Amino acid sequence: MPKANLSEVLFKPSFKHPETSTLVKRIEQTNASIQSSLEGETQSNWYRMINKTIWSWRGVDPIEAEEVLARIAASPNERTDEGLLDTVVGYRGGNWIYEWAKEGMVWQKKALDLACQDPITAGSYWLKASHFYSIASYPHLRGDQLAEQAELLADRAYKEAANYLPFELKSIDFKVDGGNLTGFLHIPSKGKGPHPTVLLCGGLDNLQNDYYPLFVNYLAPKGIAMLCVDLPSLGFSSRWTLTEDTSLLHQQVLNQLDQVPWIDHQRVVALGIRFGANVAVRLGYLESRRLRGVACLGPIVHDLFVNKETQLKTPIVYRDMIASRLKMDSTTDNLLHTELSRYSLKTQGLLGRRCPIPMCSVSFEKDVFSPLSESKLIVSSTGDGKLITVASTPLLSNLNSGLEQLSEWINQKLC
């Protein structure tokens, strides 16, 4: 089957697919309005968080993003909630997944047209397509069939981009609990392998291709490889359930790195972003002999899990996303609070004890998801800790500064 027709095969006109905001049944509808450095901002007439700054950081043109949002907002089609613009029913005009995927297909076609004439530009177009498909599938709720199809397109476009761009991407299968778990290994063009490597533990709301700017701008120039492994219940790890043993999959992957010829398994740092920091810090305690250090970005390791007030400050879409990862088809705020309390690394008896390896944490100003106390708890739990603080404005330049400091710390630990 021709590659160009894959999107047509995956997406067929249908109005029978459940609309994303209806997948998790909530008895309580206590919503919150926030602006987050990494997640974006809530708007009263949108179910999803609108994250224009980070979309731009990934390479999405802000004007193009506004045009997609405008098409969604202007749609006259039926919505499950007329007060929420991004709840159009069915794969058609105005539906969130439809409009973002449609934009991805525009860039996919441009990439195909340029593949022979200008490979580098074609690669950048494939990369843009993968970003649009990824946004289309957000927030990646379990049972969202249209979103799963967009994820397939994002994966395929990202692999196509790697064929043209100056890095090597390898899909590596790891044996995990009797099954295969696929991770993406990004190999820099600088230096010769085996490479020092960052084991990336991403957030609950991102796909592996979302972290390309982190690799190409901060790690690759230092000759550092990046291995991405999805959290349980997400992406390539969707068959596994998220439990309080959050590091279960990554721990088994870590134990197999000596079998990957492109990775220097004696020089590995775990990097956790948001919920992924829970995974990375657990690895620091449980697998300290296999790691040179643990780095965290906006970590979620304790406060959000035990503080009900903090949970109520998060928007409904984020609580729905967590409930979906926990395979809770219906929930209340009280039930979610009870479930999440088991995920605190302090409650589990880890954080607060001395960790034998260095840890570094980046904290963002006024971060609802990760207050400064989270990062302080992490760095105070080791004899070699470093705290990096990032001001909320201007975000892009401050984010760049924070990532530069973090990547330099990682580089020092891997030397």
Side-chain angles (χ1 to χ4, degrees):
M1 184 176 296
K3 290 182 179 179
N5 293 329
L6 178 59
S7 57
E8 297 174 12
V9 173
L10 290 175
F11 292 111
K12 296 179 180 179
S14 173
F15 308 107
K16 297 180 181 179
H17 294 289
E19 193 275 313
T20 302
S21 68
T22 65
L23 290 171
V24 177
K25 309 300 181 186
R26 297 190 59 83
I27 297 175
E28 303 168 36
Q29 294 291 334
T30 54
N31 204 356
S33 178
I34 68 165
Q35 183 167 355
S36 165
S37 297
L38 295 182
E39 279 77 14
E41 63 179 347
T42 53
Q43 297 184 8
S44 59
N45 52 347
W46 294 83
Y47 169 68
R48 296 165 178 83
M49 296 189 71
I50 307 301
N51 202 352
K52 299 175 187 177
T53 302
I54 297 300
W55 293 344
S56 175
W57 178 75
R58 291 182 197 159
V60 173
D61 186 329
I63 295 177
E64 193 173 4
E66 288 288 359
E67 290 174 350
V68 176
L69 293 173
R71 293 202 300 265
I72 296 171
S75 173
N77 288 324
E78 176 193 0
R79 294 175 167 85
T80 56
D81 186 332
E82 290 302 325
L84 298 174
L85 297 172
D86 55 328
T87 62
V88 169
V89 180
Y91 190 70
R92 53 179 172 172
N95 176 269
W96 174 279
I97 300 172
Y98 174 88
E99 294 294 353
W100 287 104
K102 177 182 176 182
E103 203 68 20
M105 291 171 193
V106 170
W107 289 103
Q108 176 176 311
K109 184 179 185 304
K110 290 182 179 180
L112 288 167
D113 292 342
L114 278 178
C116 296
Q117 306 169 27
D118 189 349
I120 295 298
T121 302
S124 67
Y125 288 175
W126 274 117
L127 193 61
K128 285 180 179 290
S130 76
H131 292 324
F132 280 106
Y133 292 138
S134 177
I135 297 172
S137 63
Y138 167 77
H140 321 292
L141 299 186
R142 186 170 56 89
D144 195 340
Q145 298 173 359
L146 292 175
E148 290 171 0
Q149 292 170 8
E151 288 180 16
L152 289 176
L153 290 175
D155 173 45
R156 177 226 169 176
Y158 193 49
K159 290 178 179 177
E160 289 286 350
N163 291 331
Y164 302 100
L165 299 178
F167 78 100
E168 190 173 359
L169 182 69
K170 291 187 178 295
S171 296
I172 301 178
D173 288 337
F174 297 94
K175 298 294 182 183
V176 175
D177 291 343
N180 287 332
L181 171 60
T182 300
F184 280 178
L185 177 62
H186 302 68
I187 303 175
S189 56
K190 179 180 180 180
K192 295 183 179 180
H195 295 273
T197 301
V198 161
L199 174 59
L200 184 68
C201 313
L204 288 175
D205 53 354
N206 292 109
L207 303 180
Q208 295 187 15
N209 63 295
D210 293 335
Y211 300 110
Y212 174 78
L214 174 63
F215 169 71
V216 72
N217 294 327
Y218 304 96
L219 300 179
K222 295 177 170 61
I224 301 172
M226 182 176 76
L227 175 63
C228 298
V229 178
D230 288 321
L231 292 189
S233 78
L234 178 67
F236 288 102
S237 302
S238 58
R239 61 174 289 191
W240 287 276
T241 303
L242 182 66
T243 70
E244 61 267 29
D245 186 6
T246 55
S247 61
L248 176 65
L249 302 186
H250 291 74
Q251 191 170 354
Q252 294 181 61
V253 168
L254 187 60
N255 290 335
Q256 297 174 56
L257 294 189
D258 58 350
Q259 303 170 28
V260 182
W262 305 280
I263 292 177
D264 183 347
H265 68 279
Q266 295 182 325
R267 291 194 292 165
V268 178
V269 164
L271 170 57
I273 299 175
R274 282 299 197 224
F275 199 101
N278 189 287
V279 175
V281 173
R282 284 189 105 254
L283 289 175
Y285 282 96
L286 302 178
E287 295 288 348
S288 57
R289 62 191 177 89
R290 298 183 185 275
L291 292 172
R292 290 285 189 92
V294 170
C296 302
L297 190 68
I300 298 177
V301 292
H302 173 64
D303 183 77
L304 182 63
F305 301 129
V306 300
N307 191 332
K308 191 169 184 178
E309 290 184 5
T310 301
Q311 291 172 14
L312 293 177
K313 290 179 182 178
T314 63
I316 282 180
V317 65
Y318 199 84
R319 279 174 269 168
D320 283 355
M321 183 177 62
I322 293 176
S324 178
R325 301 291 179 266
L326 301 180
K327 293 191 174 180
M328 300 168 63
D329 294 325
S330 61
T331 186
T332 66
D333 292 332
N334 286 333
L335 180 59
L336 194 61
H337 173 69
T338 301
E339 288 293 319
L340 286 178
S341 62
R342 298 181 287 116
Y343 288 77
S344 162
L345 296 188
K346 187 174 183 180
T347 302
Q348 291 179 13
L350 295 176
L351 272 175
R353 288 171 42 198
R354 181 57 59 93
C355 183
I357 61 174
M359 293 198 289
C360 176
S361 187
V362 178
S363 176
F364 293 89
E365 182 185 17
K366 300 176 182 178
D367 189 349
V368 171
F369 296 91
S370 177
L372 180 61
S373 58
E374 293 283 271
S375 291
K376 286 184 174 180
L377 178 60
I378 291 170
V379 300
S380 65
S381 296
T382 175
D384 185 5
K386 181 175 182 178
L387 174 64
I388 300 171
T389 56
V390 174
S392 56
T393 56
L395 178 57
L396 275 181
S397 60
N398 290 337
L399 175 62
N400 176 66
S401 175
L403 290 176
E404 286 285 2
Q405 295 178 64
L406 184 66
S407 60
E408 182 56 36
W409 182 89
I410 291 172
N411 190 44
Q412 291 174 6
K413 300 308 174 185
L414 290 174
C415 289

